[in-house]
Amino acid sequence: VLALWLFAFLCLLSMLIDTPTRYTPAVRLYRTAFLNAFVAFLFCPFLLSSNIFVVVGLMKGDRVIYLPLMGFCILEGLLVRYLCSPPSGDASQRSSAWHDTFSAKACHSLLVLQVLFFCRKVHERNVAWSDPLRLWMSAYEVNPTSHHTMYNCGYNLSLEKRFEEAEQVMRPIGSPDIDSTTTTFVYAMILQNLDKCDEALPLVERALEVVEERRAKGGARNSEQSTARAESNLLVAKSFCLNDDLKEKGRALYESVQVDPTNEYAMSQAKALNDVLEQEQLMKDPERLRQLLEKKK
């Protein structure tokens, strides 16, 4: 990226320096085209989306640099045309003489190498996009400090049951004071799978306090629906660390369903616990178990 901007800056600098009188009209035309390409397709589009003068409040993404990248492509095309243009003279002689020169061969060789390099990069990105985990792992390798990248990488690692790797990735953002309560929920579930409930429970309790603070603060981003879902998920995560106390576990799941009755995940966990308790009751009551088996027959 820095190399691209250095290239653009040098192109712009060449436009601002006075053109010597010995330059031909064609050279002057190229310099004008360079300046137009820089301003119209590189500088202005990027400046408007950079949150410097016009605050749009959007996360930077690849869509922001579509037009600026087209500006780089135009600049490169003009530069290649300028550096590799045939010398003056008869048209047929220019063509044959030019194709035999070292500059032309070097110019064409560099273009071929660039195309091969881009083909390799395109192949790498296509392979990365073939799988969510591979995509976010590659993103994490490029930018390991992004909270968004760490969350998605850790989440996809946990889906593959690679909990130790997921825990290492999400550890810097596990606290609700650093990132969102959603991140804390995922991180607490990962810790629970690693039998680290002594670390998970304090984080969950703190996250529940943060949810209450958000609910009291109000606003569009702290709606009752979003805070209820966050609290419900955190209570489910808390219940997973209360397996030794079924009473407290059941209370946490009951509260999670009461807080957000539309949370299907909380409903499924509460139903699963209820099924386990019913089976335990049946094992303690052989007569009732026999009657149920007879009804199934």
Side-chain angles (χ1 to χ4, degrees), residues 188-202:
M189 296 296 290
I190 292 171
L191 291 174
Q192 182 270 329
N193 280 280
L194 294 173
D195 295 326
K196 295 182 178 180
C197 284
D198 55 330
E199 299 180 27
L201 282 175

Side-chain angles (χ1 to χ4, degrees), residues 161-176:
K161 300 188 183 303
R162 295 164 60 176
F163 298 115
E164 292 184 358
E165 296 174 71
E167 192 275 332
Q168 293 178 0
V169 170
M170 296 192 66
R171 185 183 304 164
I173 58 173
S175 172

Side-chain angles (χ1 to χ4, degrees), residues 22-291:
R22 66 176 181 274
Y23 280 10
T24 64
V27 174
R28 296 173 184 271
L29 180 62
Y30 279 127
R31 291 167 67 88
T32 303
F34 265 59
L35 183 58
N36 291 337
F38 177 84
V39 174
F41 294 102
L42 197 156
F43 180 75
C44 287
F46 187 81
L47 186 66
L48 291 175
S49 60
S50 62
N51 283 324
I52 297 177
F53 294 106
V54 181
V55 180
V56 295
L58 298 177
M59 181 185 295
K60 295 294 187 298
D62 53 355
R63 67 189 69 85
V64 172
I65 60 174
Y66 285 160
L67 274 179
L69 284 178
M70 187 174 74
F72 281 118
C73 293
I74 294 175
L75 288 179
E76 182 180 357
L78 291 170
L79 181 64
V80 170
R81 177 71 183 275
Y82 172 68
L83 294 177
C84 300
S85 59
S88 59
D90 180 71
S92 60
Q93 293 179 355
R94 288 202 309 265
S95 178
S96 59
W98 172 248
H99 286 290
D100 292 335
T101 61
F102 173 78
S103 299
K105 293 179 180 179
C107 185
H108 294 149
S109 298
L110 289 175
L111 287 176
V112 171
L113 289 175
Q114 185 183 42
V115 170
L116 293 176
F117 174 77
F118 286 153
C119 288
R120 177 174 172 270
K121 285 297 181 181
V122 169
H123 174 71
E124 290 179 358
R125 298 314 300 159
N126 286 338
V127 171
W129 277 91
S130 64
D131 178 71
L133 176 57
R134 186 175 294 177
L135 173 64
W136 288 109
M137 286 290 287
S138 64
Y140 181 71
E141 292 175 0
V142 174
N143 187 10
T145 61
S146 167
H147 288 196
H148 180 68
T149 300
M150 283 190 278
Y151 171 81
N152 283 281
C153 182
Y155 175 74
N156 281 280
L157 283 169
S158 67
L159 293 180
E160 297 295 328
K161 300 188 183 303
R162 295 164 60 176
F163 298 115
E164 292 184 358
E165 296 174 71
E167 192 275 332
Q168 293 178 0
V169 170
M170 296 192 66
R171 185 183 304 164
I173 58 173
S175 172
D177 296 315
I178 297 176
D179 206 75
S180 66
T181 55
T182 301
T183 302
T184 302
F185 163 69
V186 175
Y187 184 59
M189 296 296 290
I190 292 171
L191 291 174
Q192 182 270 329
N193 280 280
L194 294 173
D195 295 326
K196 295 182 178 180
C197 284
D198 55 330
E199 299 180 27
L201 282 175
L203 290 174
V204 171
E205 294 294 344
R206 175 56 189 152
L208 289 171
E209 294 176 2
V210 172
V211 170
E212 290 300 324
E213 294 172 1
R214 286 176 48 195
R215 183 178 284 122
K217 184 178 180 181
R221 301 186 64 179
N222 299 320
S223 64
E224 182 59 32
Q225 182 180 2
S226 64
T227 54
R229 178 57 57 90
E231 183 179 1
S232 178
N233 286 334
L234 289 168
L235 288 169
V236 173
K238 180 179 179 179
S239 71
F240 277 104
C241 289
L242 299 174
N243 290 326
D244 295 335
D245 191 340
L246 291 181
K247 183 178 179 180
E248 290 298 322
K249 181 182 180 71
R251 179 179 299 172
L253 288 174
Y254 175 77
E255 290 178 1
S256 70
V257 175
Q258 290 294 109
V259 168
D260 185 5
T262 64
N263 190 345
E264 296 182 359
Y265 182 61
M267 292 287 291
S268 64
Q269 294 301 319
K271 184 178 182 303
L273 178 62
N274 185 65
D275 292 341
V276 171
L277 294 176
E278 285 186 354
Q279 291 178 4
E280 289 184 356
Q281 291 295 327
L282 287 175
M283 295 302 295
K284 296 178 181 179
D285 191 349
E287 182 61 25
R288 185 185 173 193
L289 178 61
R290 183 183 64 80
Q291 292 176 359

